[in-house]
Amino acid sequence: MFSVQKWKCSWSMVATVASIIVLVSVVHLFLFPVVPSLDYFSARQVQYKCVPINSSLEQSTDPVWENKPQGLNLDHRFPTDLHNGVVYRNAPWKAEIGRWLSGCDATATEVNIVETLGGRRCKSDCGGQGVCNHELGQCRCFHGFSGEACSERLNLSCNYPGTPELPYGRWVVSICSAHCDTTRAMCFCGEGSKYPNRPVAEACGFQMNLPSEPEGAKLTDWAKADLDNIFTTNGSKPGWCNVDPAAAYDSKVLFKEICDCKYDGLWGRFCEVPVESVCINQCSGNGHCRGGFCQCYNGWYGTDCSIPSVVSPIGEWPKWLKPAHLDIPSNEVTGRLVNLNAAVEKKRPLIYVYDLPPEFNSLLLEGRHFKFECVNRIYDERNATLWTEQLYGSQMAMYESILASPHRTLNGEEADFFFVPVLDACIITRADDAPHLSLENHTGLRSSLTLEFYKKAYEHIIEKYPYWNHSAGKDHIWSFSWDEGACYAPKEIWNSMTLVHWGNTNSKHNHSTTAYWADNWDKIPSDRRGNHSCFDPAKDLVLPAWKRPDVTSLSATLWSRPRENRKTLFYFNGNLGPAYTSGRPEATYSMGIRQKLADEFGSTPNKEGKLGKQYAEDVVVTPLRSENYHEDIANSTFCGVLPGDGWSGRIEDSILQGCIPVVIQDGIFLPYENMLNYESFAVRILEDEIPNLIKILRNINETEIEFKLTNVQKIWQRFLYRDSILLEAERQQTGFNRVEDWAVEFLQQSDDDVFTTFLQVLHYKLHNDPWRLELAHLKKDYGLPPECLIRIK
């Protein structure tokens, strides 16, 4: 249905609108494309299907706000379990939260939201070197380009200034003795060679010195280029830039073996196969991924090209904007269609995602010097998905899920939350990897450089958008994926909600806990950081870390292994510090917790040949890497969750294999711990109680063990990024008609995952955070019965 205002415009404008009307008539506005056999939205709807509870949907209109629902007796309808938890959608939540979700989240209905599609033009259409943000009319320039129309070419050097001793400058990841692409600070063979686009990354272009000791490693001499070898055409010398791949594979010519294919978008031993690079949501089918930056097709914009403009074909709009009723306004001054209003039915909570300048996300991906950095996947020679072990890949997974979610909105005035997509996983891994990302002004601290990025993002949104001031940023969400989470967040954004993996309340460990000096935040001045804690359980949320989709574990259903098959009482496998061969040398590593555990219960001899003081046959505490790590966990009843340089992935390992987590880190929250009822499925041990650990575990009765194991088996999917994985499965099927074994396994899972849990938390917070009382003037349709609202009465 159209609602068209009175027009005052040129004939060209009339023709434009007429063509839109014709297109709309053809697709009837509600026509969906044929649903493929693997459909992300369908799979997700099964996952989050709700059973309504009968109650009135009439909205209250009284002018006084209250904190608690009235007339909804949740206590009697939703009783607690043995540990005061209330089960909602198979998970034990803290009682108050579980009751609200059971009585209110399940009753939520769709509301009408008006989405506005922008039509602002950018100067010179960004000169072909950027993407136009049609909401703001501003260019988002590709790597190496800048200016209002992306017409300014930057000179991003690969090398620091040289000296007589170091003619190529001090070592840096981007160091280059061959041809430097100064738009990206990347090193290639360059013109004049047979393969000019072949990378010459790091040590490839430099001479190697023989080891000083027998069986020692060769060392790179960063002062001496190895151009004679890498550019040789003599097949008997170890070349690179002129080496024919077929001849090298047939061992007919030599090649320099330290050279390899580090950069994204290339595959093969000699980088001879161009493949997909990794972009956010792979540009949603509306653009080309150029090394990590989405080059959107005409009319599309956003980090993942998912936002249509007024000229985008309606039939190609993303699913989260369908079906829509359109309202076409006119611009009374120029007669140009500057925006298009589309009414869409959505469920709250609604999330607005800032389309930040690319320096905070896309440029960090486009400029990566190692294809595995900060991403959760890469692509092989078939363009098939290869999932990575990158623990920090959860940040990308969450970002992609939000962008593709039906809970996303383009209407900031209707939004309940505002997501600010700064990719600190890329900032920290790329810190000091090229001169333009130097740490020289940050005393070598990656934490300080990262804080600066967040501060600049904050300054951008308060300058360009009005939304921050609605709540002083309390309804904004920032993601911090690194080891110590939001410890280094700038003071200006601390009002906001942070998504982290490290929930240190600083109640005991009130300083930087990492043993890696470059990430230490203690030395960041208080005028930049403030004096906030690392985590505030009243506003923040700990999310699970990324774990590579493991088809073997899923198909073997390790999570469901029964109690009688779990013969090991307690299991921990990981670095145990300096007392062990190859252990971390710092006494401060893991805040000394792993070392204390090994001293008491070590099951592998340390450097002195000693076992733990309380060694027991059914207790495994070892630094030796297991060949069957997941099987070992699945054979255990209790599994240790101890810190590393901040958070570690042990809670995820435990729960995904059905083992009861034993948390030993005082004052530090684990995933969802301020929301879920941990006593229903986990055990917490004080650090000072480590000597009594095994005695405590042996005294837990069988009924309690079975109760906790059962709950672990009910919540394990809440530690999987299933939503993001299914998005990739849909892309693979749509783009290549390919359904891999991992896609089949994940389609068979239907319980709530990380993203669904996140949405449930937001929904609860939307109606229960006390500060929302300050927004009494913002009356919205929440799609809930009045007794569920912090409401006007």
Side-chain angles (χ1 to χ4, degrees), residues 401-418:
S401 287
I402 293 174
L403 288 172
S405 170
H407 290 267
R408 182 184 180 186
T409 182
L410 301 175
N411 187 338
E413 297 301 329
E414 282 285 354
D416 304 309
F417 295 93
F418 297 82

Side-chain angles (χ1 to χ4, degrees), residues 294-472:
C294 281
Q295 185 171 359
C296 302
Y297 301 147
N298 182 46
W300 296 90
Y301 68 103
T303 310
D304 65 342
C305 302
S306 62
I307 309 177
S309 70
V310 296
V311 300
S312 303
I314 298 170
E316 297 177 11
W317 284 7
K319 294 176 182 177
W320 51 272
L321 282 176
K322 293 179 179 179
H325 298 261
L326 300 190
D327 175 27
I328 306 176
S330 64
N331 185 311
E332 297 293 335
V333 178
T334 65
R336 175 176 295 174
L337 187 64
V338 294
N339 57 58
L340 187 66
N341 293 333
V344 187
E345 291 186 344
K346 291 177 174 289
K347 280 189 177 181
R348 295 186 185 275
L350 296 178
I351 306 171
Y352 179 93
V353 184
Y354 285 105
D355 183 42
L356 294 180
E359 66 187 274
F360 302 106
N361 36 66
S362 298
L363 292 184
L364 293 167
L365 290 170
E366 187 181 5
R368 287 173 299 139
H369 288 86
F370 297 105
K371 64 181 70 177
F372 291 98
E373 278 182 333
C374 70
V375 298
N376 57 17
R377 64 182 182 273
I378 60 170
Y379 297 96
D380 67 11
E381 72 279 4
R382 301 180 301 128
N383 280 321
T385 310
L386 295 180
W387 297 107
T388 75
E389 300 281 0
Q390 174 65 254
L391 290 174
Y392 310 104
S394 58
Q395 189 171 59
M396 185 172 185
M398 179 60 70
Y399 186 18
E400 291 183 323
S401 287
I402 293 174
L403 288 172
S405 170
H407 290 267
R408 182 184 180 186
T409 182
L410 301 175
N411 187 338
E413 297 301 329
E414 282 285 354
D416 304 309
F417 295 93
F418 297 82
F419 184 70
V420 191
V422 179
L423 299 184
D424 76 318
C426 293
I427 299 168
I428 288 193
T429 53
R430 293 203 53 210
D432 215 21
D433 75 352
H436 66 278
L437 290 173
S438 172
L439 292 176
E440 289 182 352
N441 295 327
H442 297 275
T443 62
L445 294 177
R446 304 192 302 184
S447 52
S448 175
L449 174 68
T450 308
L451 181 151
E452 184 177 279
F453 270 79
Y454 282 94
K455 175 72 176 300
K456 287 181 178 178
Y458 158 78
E459 291 170 344
H460 172 80
I461 63 177
I462 62 172
E463 176 187 352
K464 301 295 183 181
Y465 300 88
Y467 308 126
W468 180 272
N469 291 334
H470 288 175
S471 67

